[in-house]
Amino acid sequence: MATIGTKRFIYFRLADTSGNPITGRAQADFVIIFTRDNVAVTDVFTFSELSNGLYCVTYIPSSLGTDYLDIYDSAN
């Protein structure tokens, strides 16, 4: 559940089929679906690579509701 004005952190890891980390990916490399209560969200989020295939998306919710974030990497 999104809390208005409180920064949210969503961490995810990318790895190939052998478990090797996938690095060097940018936000533009992904298809991203971001909704709150089944409505497209216009909140701005930042996407960053932390290290060794670990990535983080951060944002500050502008309204109450249940958030859904789907990050699809078609290259991998």
Side-chain angles (χ1 to χ4, degrees):
M1 176 74 71
T3 303
I4 297 172
T6 302
K7 187 179 263 190
R8 307 282 297 199
F9 298 87
I10 301 170
Y11 297 94
F12 64 97
R13 186 172 302 279
L14 289 178
D16 64 17
T17 56
S18 298
N20 301 308
I22 297 172
T23 60
R25 306 296 284 160
Q27 182 174 332
D29 297 324
F30 298 95
V31 174
I32 299 173
I33 300 170
F34 189 26
T35 64
R36 181 170 298 124
D37 295 335
N38 297 319
V39 176
V41 175
T42 58
D43 296 344
V44 175
F45 63 89
T46 58
F47 178 94
S48 55
E49 179 179 0
L50 302 176
S51 68
N52 215 23
L54 180 63
Y55 295 82
C56 182
V57 172
T58 60
Y59 67 98
I60 299 174
S62 60
S63 63
L64 293 175
T66 302
D67 292 349
Y68 173 82
L69 178 66
D70 185 14
I71 302 170
Y72 178 68
D73 181 11
S74 61
N76 295 292

